[in-house]
Every structure is written in structure tokens, then in C-alpha cells.
Amino acid sequence: MIRGLAIAETVSAVIVVALAVLCWNAGVTETVVAAAGNGEPEYVSTRYAGPWIALSAVSVLVAGLLLIDGLRRLLPPPLYTR
């Protein structure tokens, strides 16, 4: 039972990391403005959408907690306790 829960938490952590990557990609938008001529470089503007970036950060935090708890359940307990 405990081993199955640990595996489920680890798989959930991987899924949440994938969600974090999707949220991060949704939160970053690049706009390219063509050069006006005369050898001038083009202008690239990057816009960050706060809610998507924040959701990505929270997703990484949740994935980390799930992974820590899953590994804690898989590892044997210490031989001594205080």
C-alpha cells in the first residue's frame, strides 16, 4: 500500500513538472518588430504574463513536495530514533 502511494506521488510529480513547463511557455510571449531599414537590427520584445509564471512556480513547488514525500515513503526508516 505504502509503495503504491509512493509510486503514485512520484508519477504525479512528473506530471506536475510537465504542467509547470506548459504554464511557463504560456506565460512568455515574444514579439518581433522588423528592422526599419538602413542596416538597423530588428527589435525583439519579451512579455511575461504574471499569473502563468506564478502558476508555474507553484507547480514546481508542489512537484518538489510530492517527490520528497514519495522518496520518504520508499526509503527504509532509520535504524535509530531519538
Side-chain angles (χ1 to χ4, degrees):
M1 174 70 179
I2 297 294
R3 186 170 178 90
L5 183 60
I7 292 171
E9 285 180 342
T10 306
V11 170
S12 297
V14 171
I15 292 170
V16 172
V17 166
L19 174 69
V21 170
L22 290 174
C23 290
W24 182 270
N25 290 334
V28 178
T29 306
E30 287 189 354
T31 304
V32 179
V33 179
N38 300 332
E40 296 176 6
E42 65 183 14
Y43 176 74
V44 179
S45 173
T46 304
R47 179 180 173 269
Y48 296 98
W52 287 109
I53 301 297
L55 183 59
S56 175
V58 169
S59 297
V60 168
L61 178 69
V62 168
L65 291 174
L66 284 170
L67 189 62
I68 288 171
D69 191 47
L71 290 176
R72 180 193 62 86
R73 291 179 192 271
L74 284 176
L75 295 175
L79 297 176
Y80 63 91
T81 57
R82 290 185 180 212

Coordinates of all heavy atoms in Angstrom, one line a residue:
M1 N 0.8 -1.2 0.0 CA 0.0 0.0 0.0 C 0.9 1.3 0.0 O 0.6 2.1 -0.8 CB -0.9 0.0 1.2 CG -1.7 1.2 1.4 SD -3.0 1.4 0.1 CE -3.7 2.9 0.6
I2 N 1.8 1.3 0.9 CA 2.7 2.5 1.0 C 3.5 2.6 -0.3 O 3.7 3.7 -0.8 CB 3.6 2.4 2.3 CG1 2.8 2.4 3.5 CG2 4.6 3.5 2.3 CD1 2.0 3.6 3.8
R3 N 4.0 1.5 -0.8 CA 4.9 1.6 -2.0 C 4.0 2.1 -3.2 O 4.5 2.9 -4.0 CB 5.4 0.2 -2.3 CG 6.4 0.2 -3.4 CD 7.1 -1.2 -3.5 NE 8.0 -1.3 -4.5 CZ 9.3 -0.9 -4.5 NH1 9.8 -0.5 -3.3 NH2 10.1 -1.0 -5.5
G4 N 2.8 1.7 -3.3 CA 1.9 2.1 -4.4 C 1.7 3.6 -4.3 O 1.6 4.3 -5.3
L5 N 1.5 4.1 -3.1 CA 1.2 5.5 -2.9 C 2.5 6.3 -3.2 O 2.4 7.4 -3.8 CB 0.8 5.8 -1.4 CG 0.5 7.2 -1.0 CD1 -0.7 7.7 -1.9 CD2 0.2 7.3 0.4
A6 N 3.7 5.8 -2.9 CA 4.9 6.5 -3.2 C 5.1 6.5 -4.7 O 5.6 7.6 -5.2 CB 6.1 5.7 -2.5
I7 N 4.8 5.5 -5.4 CA 4.9 5.5 -6.9 C 3.9 6.5 -7.5 O 4.2 7.2 -8.4 CB 4.8 4.1 -7.4 CG1 6.0 3.2 -7.0 CG2 4.6 4.1 -8.9 CD1 5.8 1.8 -7.3
A8 N 2.7 6.5 -6.9 CA 1.7 7.5 -7.4 C 2.2 8.9 -7.2 O 2.0 9.8 -8.1 CB 0.4 7.2 -6.7
E9 N 2.8 9.2 -6.0 CA 3.3 10.5 -5.8 C 4.4 10.9 -6.7 O 4.5 12.1 -7.2 CB 3.7 10.7 -4.3 CG 2.6 10.7 -3.4 CD 3.0 10.9 -1.9 OE1 4.2 10.6 -1.6 OE2 2.2 11.3 -1.1
T10 N 5.3 10.0 -7.0 CA 6.4 10.2 -7.9 C 5.9 10.5 -9.3 O 6.3 11.4 -10.0 CB 7.4 9.1 -7.9 OG1 7.8 8.8 -6.5 CG2 8.6 9.4 -8.7
V11 N 4.9 9.7 -9.8 CA 4.4 9.9 -11.1 C 3.6 11.2 -11.2 O 3.7 12.0 -12.2 CB 3.4 8.7 -11.5 CG1 2.6 9.0 -12.8 CG2 4.2 7.5 -11.7
S12 N 2.9 11.6 -10.1 CA 2.2 12.9 -10.0 C 3.2 14.0 -10.1 O 2.9 15.0 -10.7 CB 1.4 12.9 -8.7 OG 0.4 12.0 -8.7
A13 N 4.3 13.9 -9.5 CA 5.4 14.9 -9.5 C 5.8 15.2 -10.9 O 6.0 16.3 -11.4 CB 6.5 14.6 -8.6
V14 N 6.0 14.1 -11.7 CA 6.5 14.2 -13.1 C 5.4 14.9 -13.9 O 5.7 15.8 -14.7 CB 6.8 12.8 -13.7 CG1 7.0 12.9 -15.2 CG2 8.0 12.3 -13.0
I15 N 4.1 14.6 -13.7 CA 3.0 15.2 -14.4 C 2.9 16.7 -14.0 O 2.7 17.6 -14.9 CB 1.7 14.5 -14.1 CG1 1.7 13.1 -14.7 CG2 0.5 15.3 -14.6 CD1 0.6 12.2 -14.3
V16 N 3.1 17.0 -12.8 CA 3.0 18.4 -12.3 C 4.2 19.2 -12.9 O 4.1 20.4 -13.3 CB 3.0 18.5 -10.8 CG1 3.1 19.9 -10.3 CG2 1.7 17.9 -10.3
V17 N 5.4 18.6 -13.1 CA 6.5 19.3 -13.7 C 6.2 19.6 -15.2 O 6.5 20.7 -15.7 CB 7.8 18.5 -13.6 CG1 8.9 19.0 -14.5 CG2 8.3 18.6 -12.1
A18 N 5.6 18.7 -15.8 CA 5.1 18.9 -17.2 C 4.1 20.0 -17.3 O 4.2 20.9 -18.2 CB 4.6 17.6 -17.8
L19 N 3.2 20.1 -16.3 CA 2.3 21.2 -16.3 C 3.0 22.5 -16.0 O 2.6 23.5 -16.6 CB 1.3 21.0 -15.1 CG 0.3 22.1 -14.8 CD1 -0.7 22.2 -16.0 CD2 -0.4 21.8 -13.5
A20 N 4.0 22.5 -15.2 CA 4.8 23.7 -15.0 C 5.5 24.2 -16.2 O 5.5 25.4 -16.5 CB 5.8 23.5 -13.9
V21 N 6.0 23.3 -17.0 CA 6.7 23.7 -18.3 C 5.6 24.3 -19.2 O 5.9 25.3 -19.9 CB 7.4 22.5 -18.9 CG1 7.8 22.8 -20.3 CG2 8.6 22.1 -18.1
L22 N 4.5 23.7 -19.3 CA 3.4 24.3 -20.2 C 3.0 25.6 -19.7 O 2.8 26.5 -20.5 CB 2.2 23.3 -20.2 CG 2.4 22.0 -20.9 CD1 1.2 21.1 -20.7 CD2 2.7 22.2 -22.4
C23 N 2.8 25.8 -18.4 CA 2.5 27.1 -17.9 C 3.5 28.2 -18.2 O 3.2 29.3 -18.5 CB 2.2 27.0 -16.4 SG 0.7 26.1 -16.0
W24 N 4.8 27.8 -18.0 CA 5.9 28.7 -18.3 C 5.9 29.2 -19.7 O 6.0 30.3 -20.1 CB 7.2 28.1 -17.9 CG 8.4 29.1 -18.1 CD1 9.1 29.3 -19.2 CD2 8.8 30.0 -17.1 NE1 10.0 30.3 -19.0 CE2 9.9 30.8 -17.7 CE3 8.5 30.3 -15.8 CZ2 10.6 31.8 -17.1 CZ3 9.2 31.3 -15.2 CH2 10.2 32.0 -15.8
N25 N 5.7 28.2 -20.6 CA 5.7 28.5 -22.1 C 4.5 29.4 -22.4 O 4.6 30.2 -23.3 CB 5.7 27.2 -22.9 CG 7.0 26.5 -22.9 OD1 8.1 27.2 -22.6 ND2 7.0 25.2 -23.1
A26 N 3.4 29.2 -21.7 CA 2.2 30.0 -22.0 C 2.4 31.4 -21.4 O 1.8 32.4 -21.9 CB 0.9 29.4 -21.3
G27 N 3.3 31.6 -20.5 CA 3.5 32.9 -19.8 C 4.5 33.8 -20.5 O 4.7 34.9 -20.1
V28 N 5.2 33.2 -21.5 CA 6.3 34.0 -22.2 C 5.9 34.2 -23.6 O 5.7 33.2 -24.3 CB 7.7 33.3 -22.1 CG1 8.7 34.1 -22.8 CG2 8.1 33.1 -20.6
T29 N 5.8 35.5 -24.0 CA 5.5 35.8 -25.4 C 6.5 36.7 -26.0 O 6.9 37.7 -25.4 CB 4.1 36.5 -25.5 OG1 3.1 35.7 -24.8 CG2 3.6 36.7 -26.9
E30 N 7.0 36.4 -27.2 CA 8.0 37.2 -27.9 C 7.3 37.9 -29.1 O 6.6 37.2 -29.8 CB 9.2 36.4 -28.3 CG 10.1 36.0 -27.2 CD 11.4 35.4 -27.7 OE1 11.5 35.2 -29.0 OE2 12.3 35.2 -26.9
T31 N 7.6 39.2 -29.2 CA 7.1 39.9 -30.4 C 8.3 40.4 -31.1 O 9.2 41.1 -30.5 CB 6.2 41.1 -29.9 OG1 5.2 40.6 -29.1 CG2 5.6 41.8 -31.1
V32 N 8.4 40.2 -32.4 CA 9.5 40.6 -33.2 C 9.0 41.7 -34.1 O 8.0 41.6 -34.9 CB 10.0 39.5 -34.1 CG1 11.2 39.9 -35.0 CG2 10.5 38.3 -33.2
V33 N 9.7 42.9 -34.1 CA 9.4 44.0 -35.0 C 10.5 44.1 -36.0 O 11.7 44.1 -35.6 CB 9.3 45.3 -34.1 CG1 9.0 46.5 -35.1 CG2 8.3 45.2 -33.1
A34 N 10.1 44.1 -37.2 CA 11.1 44.0 -38.3 C 11.9 45.3 -38.3 O 11.5 46.4 -37.9 CB 10.4 43.9 -39.7
A35 N 13.1 45.2 -38.9 CA 14.0 46.4 -39.0 C 13.4 47.4 -39.9 O 12.7 47.1 -40.9 CB 15.4 45.9 -39.5
A36 N 13.7 48.6 -39.6 CA 13.2 49.7 -40.4 C 14.0 50.0 -41.7 O 13.6 50.8 -42.5 CB 13.1 51.0 -39.6
G37 N 15.1 49.3 -41.8 CA 15.9 49.5 -42.9 C 17.3 50.2 -42.5 O 17.6 50.3 -41.3
N38 N 18.0 50.5 -43.5 CA 19.3 51.2 -43.2 C 20.2 50.4 -42.4 O 21.0 50.9 -41.6 CB 19.1 52.6 -42.6 CG 18.3 53.5 -43.5 OD1 18.3 53.3 -44.7 ND2 17.6 54.4 -42.9
G39 N 20.2 49.1 -42.4 CA 21.1 48.2 -41.7 C 20.8 48.1 -40.2 O 21.6 47.6 -39.4
E40 N 19.6 48.6 -39.7 CA 19.3 48.5 -38.3 C 18.8 47.1 -37.9 O 18.2 46.5 -38.7 CB 18.2 49.6 -38.0 CG 18.7 51.0 -38.2 CD 17.5 52.0 -38.0 OE1 16.4 51.5 -37.5 OE2 17.7 53.2 -38.2
P41 N 19.1 46.7 -36.7 CA 18.7 45.4 -36.3 C 17.2 45.3 -36.0 O 16.6 46.4 -35.7 CB 19.5 45.1 -35.0 CG 19.8 46.4 -34.5 CD 19.9 47.4 -35.7
E42 N 16.6 44.2 -36.0 CA 15.2 44.0 -35.6 C 15.1 44.1 -34.1 O 16.1 43.9 -33.4 CB 14.7 42.7 -36.2 CG 15.3 41.5 -35.5 CD 14.7 40.2 -36.1 OE1 14.1 40.2 -37.2 OE2 15.0 39.2 -35.5
Y43 N 13.9 44.4 -33.7 CA 13.6 44.5 -32.2 C 12.8 43.3 -31.7 O 11.8 43.0 -32.3 CB 12.9 45.8 -32.0 CG 12.5 46.0 -30.5 CD1 13.5 46.4 -29.6 CD2 11.2 45.9 -30.1 CE1 13.1 46.5 -28.2 CE2 10.8 46.0 -28.8 CZ 11.8 46.4 -27.9 OH 11.5 46.5 -26.5
V44 N 13.3 42.7 -30.7 CA 12.6 41.6 -30.1 C 12.1 42.0 -28.7 O 12.9 42.3 -27.8 CB 13.4 40.3 -30.0 CG1 12.7 39.2 -29.4 CG2 13.9 39.9 -31.4
S45 N 10.8 41.9 -28.5 CA 10.3 42.3 -27.2 C 9.7 41.0 -26.5 O 9.0 40.2 -27.1 CB 9.1 43.3 -27.3 OG 8.4 43.5 -26.1
T46 N 10.1 40.8 -25.2 CA 9.6 39.6 -24.5 C 8.6 40.1 -23.4 O 9.0 40.9 -22.6 CB 10.8 38.9 -23.8 OG1 11.7 38.5 -24.9 CG2 10.3 37.6 -23.2
R47 N 7.4 39.5 -23.4 CA 6.4 39.8 -22.4 C 6.2 38.6 -21.5 O 6.0 37.5 -22.0 CB 5.1 40.2 -23.1 CG 4.0 40.5 -22.2 CD 2.7 40.9 -22.9 NE 1.6 41.1 -22.0 CZ 0.8 40.1 -21.7 NH1 0.9 38.9 -22.1 NH2 -0.2 40.4 -20.8
Y48 N 6.2 38.9 -20.2 CA 6.0 37.8 -19.2 C 4.6 38.0 -18.6 O 4.3 39.1 -18.1 CB 7.0 37.8 -18.1 CG 8.4 37.5 -18.7 CD1 9.3 38.5 -19.0 CD2 8.8 36.2 -18.9 CE1 10.6 38.3 -19.5 CE2 10.1 35.9 -19.4 CZ 10.9 37.0 -19.7 OH 12.2 36.7 -20.2
A49 N 3.7 37.0 -18.6 CA 2.4 37.1 -18.0 C 2.5 36.5 -16.6 O 2.8 35.4 -16.4 CB 1.4 36.3 -18.8
G50 N 2.3 37.4 -15.6 CA 2.5 37.1 -14.2 C 1.7 35.9 -13.7 O 2.3 35.0 -13.0
P51 N 0.4 35.7 -14.0 CA -0.3 34.6 -13.5 C 0.2 33.2 -14.0 O 0.3 32.3 -13.2 CB -1.7 34.8 -14.0 CG -1.8 36.3 -14.1 CD -0.5 36.7 -14.6
W52 N 0.6 33.2 -15.2 CA 1.2 31.9 -15.8 C 2.5 31.6 -15.1 O 2.8 30.4 -14.8 CB 1.3 32.0 -17.3 CG 0.0 31.9 -18.0 CD1 -0.6 32.9 -18.7 CD2 -0.8 30.8 -18.1 NE1 -1.8 32.5 -19.2 CE2 -2.0 31.2 -18.9 CE3 -0.8 29.5 -17.7 CZ2 -3.0 30.3 -19.2 CZ3 -1.8 28.6 -18.0 CH2 -2.9 29.0 -18.7
I53 N 3.4 32.6 -15.0 CA 4.7 32.4 -14.3 C 4.5 31.9 -12.9 O 5.2 31.0 -12.4 CB 5.5 33.6 -14.5 CG1 5.7 34.0 -15.9 CG2 6.9 33.4 -13.8 CD1 6.5 33.0 -16.8
A54 N 3.5 32.6 -12.2 CA 3.3 32.2 -10.8 C 2.7 30.8 -10.7 O 3.1 30.0 -9.8 CB 2.3 33.2 -10.2
L55 N 1.8 30.4 -11.6 CA 1.3 29.1 -11.6 C 2.4 28.0 -11.8 O 2.4 27.0 -11.2 CB 0.2 28.9 -12.6 CG -0.5 27.6 -12.7 CD1 -1.1 27.2 -11.3 CD2 -1.6 27.6 -13.8
S56 N 3.3 28.4 -12.7 CA 4.5 27.5 -13.0 C 5.3 27.4 -11.7 O 5.8 26.2 -11.4 CB 5.3 28.1 -14.1 OG 6.5 27.4 -14.3
A57 N 5.6 28.4 -11.0 CA 6.4 28.4 -9.8 C 5.7 27.5 -8.7 O 6.3 26.7 -8.0 CB 6.7 29.8 -9.3
V58 N 4.4 27.7 -8.6 CA 3.7 26.9 -7.6 C 3.7 25.4 -8.0 O 3.8 24.5 -7.1 CB 2.2 27.5 -7.4 CG1 1.3 26.5 -6.6 CG2 2.3 28.8 -6.8
S59 N 3.6 25.2 -9.3 CA 3.6 23.8 -9.7 C 4.9 23.1 -9.4 O 5.0 21.9 -9.0 CB 3.3 23.7 -11.2 OG 2.0 24.2 -11.5
V60 N 6.0 23.8 -9.6 CA 7.3 23.3 -9.3 C 7.4 23.0 -7.8 O 8.0 22.0 -7.4 CB 8.4 24.2 -9.8 CG1 9.8 23.8 -9.2 CG2 8.5 24.2 -11.3
L61 N 6.9 23.9 -7.0 CA 6.9 23.7 -5.5 C 6.1 22.5 -5.1 O 6.6 21.6 -4.3 CB 6.3 24.9 -4.8 CG 6.2 24.9 -3.3 CD1 7.6 24.9 -2.7 CD2 5.4 26.0 -2.8
V62 N 4.9 22.3 -5.7 CA 4.1 21.1 -5.4 C 4.8 19.8 -5.9 O 4.8 18.8 -5.2 CB 2.7 21.3 -6.0 CG1 1.9 20.0 -6.0 CG2 1.9 22.4 -5.3
A63 N 5.4 19.9 -7.0 CA 6.1 18.7 -7.6 C 7.3 18.3 -6.6 O 7.5 17.1 -6.4 CB 6.6 19.0 -9.0
G64 N 8.0 19.3 -6.1 CA 9.1 19.0 -5.2 C 8.6 18.4 -3.9 O 9.2 17.4 -3.4
L65 N 7.5 18.9 -3.4 CA 6.9 18.3 -2.2 C 6.4 16.9 -2.4 O 6.7 16.0 -1.6 CB 5.8 19.2 -1.6 CG 6.2 20.5 -1.1 CD1 5.0 21.3 -0.7 CD2 7.1 20.4 0.1
L66 N 5.8 16.6 -3.5 CA 5.4 15.3 -3.9 C 6.6 14.3 -4.0 O 6.5 13.2 -3.5 CB 4.6 15.3 -5.2 CG 3.1 15.8 -5.1 CD1 2.5 16.0 -6.5 CD2 2.3 14.8 -4.3
L67 N 7.6 14.8 -4.7 CA 8.8 14.0 -4.8 C 9.5 13.7 -3.5 O 9.9 12.5 -3.3 CB 9.8 14.7 -5.8 CG 10.9 13.8 -6.3 CD1 10.5 12.6 -7.0 CD2 11.9 14.7 -7.1
I68 N 9.6 14.7 -2.7 CA 10.2 14.4 -1.3 C 9.4 13.4 -0.5 O 10.0 12.5 0.1 CB 10.3 15.8 -0.6 CG1 11.4 16.6 -1.2 CG2 10.6 15.5 0.9 CD1 11.5 18.0 -0.7
D69 N 8.1 13.6 -0.5 CA 7.2 12.6 0.2 C 7.3 11.2 -0.4 O 7.3 10.2 0.3 CB 5.8 13.2 0.3 CG 5.0 12.4 1.3 OD1 5.5 12.1 2.4 OD2 3.9 12.0 1.0
G70 N 7.3 11.2 -1.7 CA 7.4 9.8 -2.4 C 8.7 9.1 -2.0 O 8.7 7.9 -1.7
L71 N 9.8 9.8 -2.1 CA 11.1 9.2 -1.7 C 11.1 8.8 -0.2 O 11.7 7.8 0.1 CB 12.2 10.2 -2.1 CG 12.5 10.4 -3.6 CD1 13.5 11.4 -3.8 CD2 12.8 9.1 -4.2
R72 N 10.5 9.7 0.6 CA 10.5 9.3 2.0 C 9.7 8.0 2.3 O 10.1 7.2 3.1 CB 9.8 10.5 2.8 CG 9.7 10.2 4.3 CD 8.8 11.2 5.0 NE 7.4 11.1 4.6 CZ 6.5 10.2 5.0 NH1 6.9 9.4 6.0 NH2 5.3 10.2 4.6
R73 N 8.7 7.8 1.5 CA 7.9 6.6 1.7 C 8.7 5.3 1.1 O 8.5 4.2 1.6 CB 6.6 6.7 1.0 CG 5.6 7.7 1.7 CD 4.3 7.8 0.9 NE 3.5 8.9 1.4 CZ 2.6 8.8 2.4 NH1 2.5 7.6 3.0 NH2 1.9 9.8 2.7
L74 N 9.5 5.6 0.1 CA 10.2 4.4 -0.5 C 11.4 4.0 0.3 O 11.8 2.8 0.3 CB 10.6 4.8 -1.9 CG 9.6 4.7 -3.0 CD1 10.1 5.2 -4.3 CD2 9.0 3.4 -3.1
L75 N 12.1 5.0 0.9 CA 13.3 4.7 1.7 C 13.0 4.0 3.0 O 12.0 4.3 3.6 CB 14.1 5.9 1.9 CG 14.7 6.6 0.7 CD1 15.4 7.9 1.0 CD2 15.6 5.7 -0.1
P76 N 13.9 3.1 3.4 CA 13.7 2.4 4.7 C 13.8 3.4 5.9 O 14.6 4.4 5.7 CB 14.7 1.3 4.8 CG 15.8 1.8 3.9 CD 15.1 2.6 2.8
P77 N 13.1 3.2 7.0 CA 13.3 4.1 8.1 C 14.7 4.0 8.7 O 15.3 2.9 8.6 CB 12.2 3.6 9.1 CG 11.9 2.2 8.7 CD 12.2 2.1 7.2
P78 N 15.1 5.0 9.5 CA 16.4 4.9 10.1 C 16.4 3.8 11.2 O 15.4 3.5 11.7 CB 16.6 6.3 10.7 CG 15.3 6.9 10.8 CD 14.4 6.3 9.7
L79 N 17.6 3.3 11.5 CA 17.8 2.3 12.5 C 17.6 2.8 13.9 O 17.3 2.0 14.8 CB 19.2 1.6 12.3 CG 19.4 0.9 11.0 CD1 20.8 0.4 10.9 CD2 18.4 -0.2 10.7
Y80 N 17.7 4.0 14.1 CA 17.6 4.6 15.4 C 16.7 5.8 15.4 O 16.5 6.4 14.4 CB 19.0 5.0 16.0 CG 19.6 6.1 15.1 CD1 19.4 7.5 15.5 CD2 20.4 5.8 14.1 CE1 19.9 8.5 14.7 CE2 21.0 6.8 13.3 CZ 20.7 8.2 13.6 OH 21.3 9.1 12.9
T81 N 16.0 6.0 16.5 CA 15.2 7.2 16.7 C 15.6 7.9 18.0 O 16.0 7.2 18.9 CB 13.7 6.9 16.6 OG1 13.5 5.9 17.7 CG2 13.3 6.3 15.3
R82 N 15.4 9.2 18.0 CA 15.7 9.9 19.3 C 14.5 10.4 19.9 O 13.5 10.6 19.4 CB 16.6 11.1 19.0 CG 18.0 10.7 18.6 CD 18.9 11.9 18.4 NE 20.2 11.4 18.0 CZ 21.3 12.0 18.4 NH1 21.2 13.1 19.1 NH2 22.4 11.6 18.0

